[in-house]
Amino acid sequence: MMRLTMITLFGLSSLGLAAAQPPKDEPKTPEPPGGLMVAPFKECAKACDDCARECNACMAHCAKLAATGHPEHLTTMKTCSDCAALCNAASSILSKQGPFFDIVCLGCAQACKRCGDECEKHAAHDPVMKACAEECRRCEKACRTMLANSGFNANEKPIK
């Protein structure tokens, strides 16, 4: 009796799984907003994700420097922390082609500009901060390119 029940349950669950599969002619990825291509979203999301990791590493580096008697690194520590948070949000929204991609891309580009500027102040003598500044520049460019390719006016006055 137990065996018959198990076979019946297995058969029913197999039918349920087969019925849950989408028809072969339906697209497997959602259509991005405004008919934009999916590849630019993925490329920009990757740039944001890479930048978030670099900013987090730089933030930890700056925290160590500040703790060992270099309080001038408190500012870069804070900018790296905020930039990483914005980059993470941008990566998340872009990876799913979210409708607020333009809002988050603009914010991310502006954060990367500011963070890159702060880290650049120490780049000549600190390789970690130099790497962060360079990654911020790449991410800023990727976000601004994404905005320009989407028809968004990237030349709008920055939010202060």
Side-chain angles (χ1 to χ4, degrees), residues 122-141:
H122 306 281
H125 58 84
D126 191 317
V128 174
M129 301 200 71
K130 180 179 181 179
C132 187
E134 290 171 353
E135 199 62 51
C136 283
R137 303 290 184 227
R138 280 191 282 277
C139 187
E140 178 189 6
K141 182 179 178 185

Side-chain angles (χ1 to χ4, degrees), residues 50-118:
D50 292 346
C51 190
R53 280 194 310 279
E54 198 66 47
C55 284
N56 278 324
C58 192
M59 176 189 64
H61 175 70
C62 290
K64 287 178 188 172
L65 290 172
T68 58
H70 299 279
E72 66 274 13
H73 288 283
L74 288 172
T75 301
T76 50
M77 182 182 76
K78 290 176 184 178
T79 58
C80 287
S81 176
D82 285 357
C83 189
L86 281 162
C87 288
N88 279 325
S91 178
S92 176
I93 290 172
L94 286 161
S95 66
K96 58 188 174 192
Q97 297 95 40
F100 297 141
F101 78 92
D102 55 342
I103 295 168
V104 77
C105 272
L106 182 59
C108 186
Q110 291 174 348
C112 286
K113 167 80 171 103
R114 291 183 191 180
C115 187
D117 289 348
E118 281 299 316

Side-chain angles (χ1 to χ4, degrees), residues 4-67:
L4 181 59
T5 304
M6 294 294 281
I7 292 171
T8 304
L9 286 175
F10 179 73
L12 289 174
S13 58
S14 295
L15 286 173
L17 288 174
Q21 298 297 322
K24 294 191 189 303
D25 58 341
E26 282 188 24
K28 293 188 181 190
T29 56
E31 201 53 39
L36 295 172
M37 303 283 289
V38 174
F41 279 89
K42 288 183 178 180
E43 292 166 10
C44 193
K46 182 181 179 327
C48 293
D49 194 49
D50 292 346
C51 190
R53 280 194 310 279
E54 198 66 47
C55 284
N56 278 324
C58 192
M59 176 189 64
H61 175 70
C62 290
K64 287 178 188 172
L65 290 172

Side-chain angles (χ1 to χ4, degrees), residues 36 101-102 144-156:
L36 295 172
F101 78 92
D102 55 342
R144 294 202 187 279
T145 299
M146 179 72 195
L147 288 167
N149 290 340
S150 70
F152 184 82
N153 183 0
N155 294 321
E156 288 183 359

